[in-house]
């Protein structure tokens, strides 16, 4: 599957295109399929998300998982600071990243 | 320490106002990211993997307690409670919000700090020997010269769009603690016939094509310094390869035309520049130098130190260096706790360092290119008290220049250019070698997460470079580099390793060293004596 991702303009947070908007959780990401380029251009024009780009991902029962390690780390947060990830209370939250 | 005059303050304040307006226009959508990016980079604001990152300049690595406390406050109020000290003696905040940036810069400006020229193809923050003003082996304090260069290079219109970034380092001792020979221009202050002047080295650098600089002029007097540097930059600005980012640094120009031809052109240009009258009057250097006058040392400060606490004695031997003033010492504060993140310090630690600087070091602190902090002027009678407080805050790891005192760039945990993570590897290595580090002695290990070499891996006694091998992290090992006065570039050993594999390979290297070293030899000495092959055999044999 194909995902659209970028960084939120005011906060810099990593965000994922959900089909109707942007979410901080990769689990909410939608497969943009053939529409990717068009959504990317439209969102770039809206100027709310910085440098949006398309990536490959794998669909899993737990949600989409980016194919490249860089985007998996983006989805979670720094691997060396589990306390600063999106789910600091869950030690297994990043088990799929590396 | 240098204090801003009205001009310094005015340009920094004006820049904050200008950037505030630019940020507002970006947030409201008037500016696109393409338009805004160069503007934010001019103010040290990068976009990294997870957030904006703000790089704050610490000129020649020197700061006072008020400035250090401000950094702690910003970490607390605007970031997630910590900062990362870098190999260029700067500080990076990893979790900055765009809308907060003007306020952060405004607060920095109140303590004479900014983030100007911490990015882009301009002359970057000037780095210097962290022992400046304290080292017994210096001919003078290099910082007044560094400050003069800072003033000359700030907003220099001709050098705002160089072919590529440009980095200066200034030292004044035989021992090179600032990796001076690996900078675009390195300056060593020397004396000739009783006059202070500068030896100018040009064309060093790391990145994908590491090079050691060439001595271009052995003596430039203070009356000619600005003209000479102007000429050095002009020749580069004219011929530097703007067409090819990989060949754009001045090191490539020197490599291509040769140091002799570069020198000839600089000397020619110098004669023209000299007529422009850009060199400040001597009084200006004297005015600046007066601000770096030595603090009011107590001439009666006792030299003896009570070493009866064995843990304290270990720290004393490893982290405390000789001071030029009897009764005083230079304290190195390690930001490399075993298993910690090299160069990171949390807000409480930064605030504590500010307090210690105020109470025990005449209000001065330094950042080192090895990502540690220095308290430059501590009375020996206070060393035990300082050590106790550092210990409580987790800042007294006695590992200066040992294998666990690792330089590591942020790598793939933070950096958008990275191929592999640097920090977890540093943590594994430190943990593996913690109980052997003193036996191994001086061993500088440096890790970069990609070929840009921010972690100085080319200059590591042991260097590690993260590469991307079909989507997985892989690490290339190299041996024999040095960023010190015995400068050399490390040589790649061969095929790369996984994260655990590279830790094992380092163990084979250090085992071979222990088996072959002669009395008194550091790792680097043994390596230079026996050569590359025995170590290569140990790794792959
Ligand atoms: C996180 C954002 C960073 C980015 C985007 C970045 C980018 C780069 C790039 C592109 C280069 C290569 C320049 C060239 O060869 O022309 C470079 C070099 C360098 N960077 Fe960084 N860097 C970052 C962080 C750091 C950090 C955290 C440090 C210190 C730990 C650092 C210190 C250096 C040094 C010392 C060099 C080598 C200078 C040379 O080539 O002479 N950088 N950086
Ligand atoms: S060396 Fe590469 S990975 Fe490390 S900070 Fe520099 S650009 Fe990023």
């Amino acid at each position: 599957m194909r995902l659209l991702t970028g960084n939120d303009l005011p906060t810099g947070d990593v965000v994922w295109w959900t089909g109707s908007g942007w979410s901080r959780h990769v689990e909410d990401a939608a497969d943009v399929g053939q529409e990717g380029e068009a959504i990317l251009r439209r969102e770039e024009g809206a100027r709310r998300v910085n440098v949006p780009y398309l990536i490959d991902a794998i669909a899993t029962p737990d949600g989409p998982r980016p194919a490249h390690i860089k985007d998996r780390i983006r989805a979670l947060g720094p691997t060396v600071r589990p306390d600063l990830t999106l789910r600091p209370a869950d030690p297994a939250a990043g088990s799929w990243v590396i | 320490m240098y204090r801003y005059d009205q001009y310094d303050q005015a340009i920094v304040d004006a820049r904050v106002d200008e950037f505030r307006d630019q940020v507002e226009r970006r947030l409201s959508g008037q500016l696109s990211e393409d338009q805004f990016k160069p503007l934010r980079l001019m103010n040290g604001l990068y976009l990294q993997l997870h957030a904006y990152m703000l790089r704050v300049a610490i000129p020649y690595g020197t700061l006072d307690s008020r400035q250090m406390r401000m950094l702690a406050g910003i970490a607390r109020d605007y970031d997630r409670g910590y900062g990362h000290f870098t190999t260029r003696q700067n500080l990076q905040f990893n979790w900055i919000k765009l809308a907060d940036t003007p306020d952060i810069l405004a607060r920095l400006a109140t303590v004479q700090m900014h983030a100007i020229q911490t990015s882009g193809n301009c002359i970057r923050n000037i780095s210097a020997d962290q022992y400046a003003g304290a080292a017994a082996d210096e001919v003078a304090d290099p910082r007044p010269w560094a400050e003069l260069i800072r003033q000359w290079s700030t907003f220099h219109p001709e050098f705002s769009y160089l072919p590529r970034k440009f980095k200066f380092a200034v030292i004044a001792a035989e021992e090179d603690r600032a990796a001076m020979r690996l900078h675009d221009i390195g300056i060593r202050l020397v004396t000739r016939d009783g006059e202070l002047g500068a030896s100018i080295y040009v064309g060093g650098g790391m990145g994908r094509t590491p090079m050691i600089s060439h001595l271009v002029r052995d003596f430039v007097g203070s009356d000619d310094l600005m003209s000479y540097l102007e000429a050095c930059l002009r020749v580069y600005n004219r011929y530097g390869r703007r067409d090819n980012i990989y060949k754009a640094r001045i090191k490539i120009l020197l490599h291509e035309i040769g140091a002799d031809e570069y020198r000839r052109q600089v000397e020619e240009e110098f004669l023209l520049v000299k007529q422009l009258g850009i060199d400040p009057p001597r009084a200006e250097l004297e005015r600046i130098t007066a601000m770096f006058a030595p603090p009011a040392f107590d001439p009666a400060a006792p030299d003896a130190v009570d070493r009866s606490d064995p843990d304290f004695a270990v720290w004393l031997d490893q982290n405390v260096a000789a001071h030029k003033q009897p009764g005083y010492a230079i304290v190195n504060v390690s930001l490399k706790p075993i298993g910690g993140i090299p160069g990171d310090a949390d807000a409480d630690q930064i605030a504590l360092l500010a307090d210690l600087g105020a109470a025990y070091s005449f209000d001065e602190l330094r950042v080192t290119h090895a990502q540690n902090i220095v308290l430059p002027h501590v009375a020996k009678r206070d060393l035990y008290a300082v050590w106790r407080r550092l210990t409580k805050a987790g800042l007294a790891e006695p590992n200066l220049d040992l294998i666990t005192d690792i330089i590591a760039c942020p790598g793939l945990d933070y950096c958008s250019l990275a191929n592999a993570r640097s920090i977890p590897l540093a943590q594994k290595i430190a943990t593996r070698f913690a109980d052997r580090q003193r036996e191994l002695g001086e061993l500088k290990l440096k890790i970069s997460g990609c070929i840009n070499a921010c972690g100085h891996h080319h200059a590591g006694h042991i260097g590690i470079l993260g590469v991307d091998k079909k989507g997985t992290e892989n690490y290339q090992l190299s041996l024999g580099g040095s960023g010190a006065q015995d400068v050399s570039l490390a040589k790649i050993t061969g095929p790369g390793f996984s994260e655990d594999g590279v830790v094992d390979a380092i163990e084979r290297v250090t085992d071979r060293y222990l088996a072959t070293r002669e009395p008194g030899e550091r790792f680097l000495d043994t390596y230079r004596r026996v050569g590359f092959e025995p170590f290569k055999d140990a790794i792959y044999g």
Side-chain angles (χ1 to χ4, degrees):
Chain A
M1 63 192 294
R2 300 276 285 162
L3 308 182
L4 178 62
T5 180
N7 290 75
D8 178 55
L9 168 65
T11 60
D13 287 350
V14 175
V15 288
W16 308 89
W17 179 252
T18 66
S20 58
W22 295 92
S23 165
R24 284 171 172 70
H25 299 277
V26 71
E27 286 77 16
D28 299 336
D31 185 358
V32 292
Q34 302 299 311
E35 304 300 305
E37 285 294 337
I39 304 172
L40 187 157
R41 262 192 299 279
R42 197 185 68 220
E43 287 301 313
E44 213 162 30
R47 298 186 175 177
R48 298 304 299 168
V49 167
N50 283 332
V51 285
Y53 64 101
L54 295 161
I55 61 163
D56 288 324
I58 298 149
T60 78
D62 296 325
R65 299 306 185 210
H68 197 276
I69 180 175
K70 176 182 285 186
D71 293 302
R72 293 199 298 275
I73 291 177
R74 288 178 70 246
L76 178 78
T79 64
V80 291
R81 290 295 301 262
D83 56 320
L84 301 180
T85 59
L86 284 177
R87 291 209 225 113
D90 175 5
S95 53
W96 51 274
V97 171
I98 300 305
Chain B
M1 270 194 50
Y2 183 72
R3 295 281 160 224
Y4 278 11
D5 61 17
Q6 80 228 50
Y7 302 106
D8 295 303
Q9 193 67 52
I11 59 174
V12 170
D13 290 344
R15 185 48 102 76
V16 175
D17 293 341
E18 181 186 57
F19 191 53
R20 191 180 293 282
D21 173 64
Q22 291 162 345
V23 169
E24 275 166 19
R25 285 190 284 144
R26 175 69 184 111
L27 285 169
S28 71
Q30 281 178 60
L31 295 177
S32 70
E33 184 57 15
D34 282 349
Q35 292 165 325
F36 181 64
K37 186 177 173 187
L39 304 176
R40 66 168 162 76
L41 287 176
M42 280 183 216
N43 293 284
L45 192 67
Y46 290 72
L47 183 60
Q48 288 298 298
L49 286 187
H50 315 291
Y52 293 98
M53 178 275 275
L54 181 68
R55 183 182 288 160
V56 179
I58 301 176
Y60 29 90
T62 293
L63 69 183
D64 65 18
S65 299
R66 204 167 56 116
Q67 294 172 321
M68 197 68 159
R69 211 166 281 124
M70 176 60 79
L71 297 176
I74 289 169
R76 208 174 275 135
D77 297 345
Y78 298 101
D79 199 272
R80 297 195 175 177
Y82 68 107
H84 179 75
F85 290 97
T86 80
T87 42
R88 293 220 72 251
Q89 300 176 302
N90 294 323
L91 179 87
Q92 294 186 177
F93 291 116
N94 294 304
W95 303 94
I96 295 301
K97 295 189 176 18
L98 178 56
D100 288 337
T101 313
D103 290 341
I104 297 171
L105 294 176
R107 281 177 63 169
L108 287 171
T110 65
V111 295
Q112 311 190 344
M113 295 183 93
H114 59 73
I116 295 164
Q117 290 180 207
T118 60
S119 175
N121 295 335
C122 56
I123 298 175
R124 302 287 189 90
N125 186 40
I126 314 296
S127 59
D129 184 352
Q130 67 269 18
Y131 290 177
D137 61 344
E138 70 184 14
V139 297
D141 188 331
R143 291 172 301 164
W145 294 60
E147 171 57 25
L148 206 58
I149 296 168
R150 186 193 72 82
Q151 296 189 12
W152 161 77
S153 62
T154 299
F155 297 150
H156 194 309
E158 212 175 305
F159 307 139
S160 298
Y161 292 95
L162 291 166
R164 198 74 182 91
K165 57 166 79 170
F166 206 93
K167 301 180 181 182
F168 273 83
V170 188
I171 66 172
E174 271 308 310
E175 192 176 335
D176 180 0
R177 289 170 285 257
M180 181 274 281
R181 298 291 303 281
L182 294 164
H183 282 73
D184 296 282
I185 292 189
I187 293 177
R188 186 199 302 278
L189 299 189
V190 292
T191 48
R192 199 176 67 182
D193 305 330
E195 192 200 342
L196 192 61
S199 293
I200 311 279
Y201 295 83
V202 183
M206 310 229 200
R208 79 177 52 226
T209 323
M211 288 191 189
I212 295 168
S213 60
H214 305 263
L215 179 63
V216 167
R217 177 78 109 80
D218 57 6
F219 193 89
V220 179
S222 66
D223 295 335
D224 292 333
L225 182 71
M226 265 34 292
S227 291
Y228 195 80
L229 295 180
E230 184 104 359
C232 288
L233 266 293
R234 276 191 172 184
V235 173
Y236 168 54
N237 211 9
R238 191 178 304 145
Y239 299 113
R241 293 283 300 272
R242 286 186 158 79
D243 61 319
N244 183 340
I245 191 172
Y246 300 123
K247 298 194 169 178
R249 297 281 296 265
I250 194 172
K251 61 191 174 188
I252 305 292
L253 177 66
L254 263 91
H255 183 70
E256 284 184 352
I257 68 174
D260 289 338
E261 173 60 14
Y262 174 78
R263 181 184 300 113
R264 190 191 65 74
Q265 297 207 23
V266 169
E267 293 294 338
E268 202 175 280
E269 186 69 31
F270 171 63
L271 295 178
L272 298 173
V273 176
K274 190 61 202 167
Q275 297 163 20
L276 302 176
I278 63 168
D279 287 292
R282 244 178 214 209
E284 179 58 10
L285 184 57
E286 284 162 12
R287 181 186 76 93
I288 295 171
T289 304
M291 289 192 240
F292 290 96
F297 293 120
D298 171 6
D303 231 9
V305 180
D306 177 355
R307 300 171 53 94
S308 52
D309 182 330
D311 290 336
F312 172 62
V314 169
W315 176 80
L316 206 55
D317 292 340
Q318 197 66 49
N319 286 27
V320 177
H323 198 286
K324 65 179 170 194
Q325 176 74 19
Y328 286 80
I330 302 170
V331 168
N332 285 278
V333 179
S334 168
L335 297 183
K336 320 288 176 65
I338 305 301
I341 298 179
D344 275 14
D346 68 32
D348 291 344
Q349 291 175 323
I350 299 173
L352 172 77
L353 290 167
D355 291 347
L356 293 178
Y360 298 110
S361 186
F362 294 94
D363 211 32
E364 259 195 54
L365 299 117
R366 311 285 171 77
V367 181
T368 83
H369 87 273
Q371 303 178 283
N372 293 317
I373 302 294
V374 164
L375 298 168
H377 309 300
V378 180
K380 288 186 175 172
R381 64 173 160 239
D382 293 331
L383 284 171
Y384 191 67
V386 168
W387 174 75
R388 291 280 299 255
R389 291 183 64 180
L390 290 173
T391 302
K392 252 190 246 158
L395 291 169
E397 193 66 47
N399 62 349
L400 187 74
D401 294 338
L402 301 182
I403 189 170
T404 65
D405 182 12
I406 296 169
I407 292 181
C409 78
L412 193 51
D413 281 300
Y414 293 96
C415 177
S416 51
L417 303 176
N419 287 324
R421 292 171 301 153
S422 308
I423 298 167
L425 180 56
Q427 293 172 316
K428 275 193 184 165
I429 294 169
T431 308
R432 171 86 63 101
F433 292 95
D435 56 357
R436 260 168 288 177
Q437 55 174 333
R438 231 162 295 287
E439 185 192 358
L440 291 169
E442 182 186 304
L443 208 172
K444 298 185 183 179
L445 196 147
K446 311 186 186 201
I447 310 174
S448 304
C450 80
I451 193 65
N452 289 321
C454 304
H456 285 196
H457 66 277
H458 299 299
H461 296 181
I462 296 179
I464 299 171
L465 166 65
V467 294
D468 179 340
K469 197 172 166 195
K470 299 197 188 102
T472 58
E473 298 166 295
N474 195 263
Y475 297 92
Q476 233 172 42
L477 189 62
S478 48
L479 301 175
S482 169
Q485 60 282 5
D486 57 356
V487 64
S488 60
L489 298 172
K491 181 169 171 188
I492 297 170
T493 57
F497 303 90
S498 67
E499 188 176 286
D500 288 326
V502 80
V503 185
D504 293 339
I506 293 167
E507 188 155 21
R508 293 196 287 277
V509 168
T510 55
D511 283 351
R512 176 60 58 104
Y513 158 61
L514 290 176
T516 37
R517 75 172 164 193
E518 289 181 352
E521 272 184 348
R522 305 170 300 161
F523 168 77
L524 189 62
D525 302 325
T526 304
Y527 173 85
R528 286 179 176 169
R529 177 173 55 80
V530 305
F532 178 73
E533 291 305 324
F535 289 99
K536 191 172 177 187
D537 286 349
I539 296 169
Y540 300 101

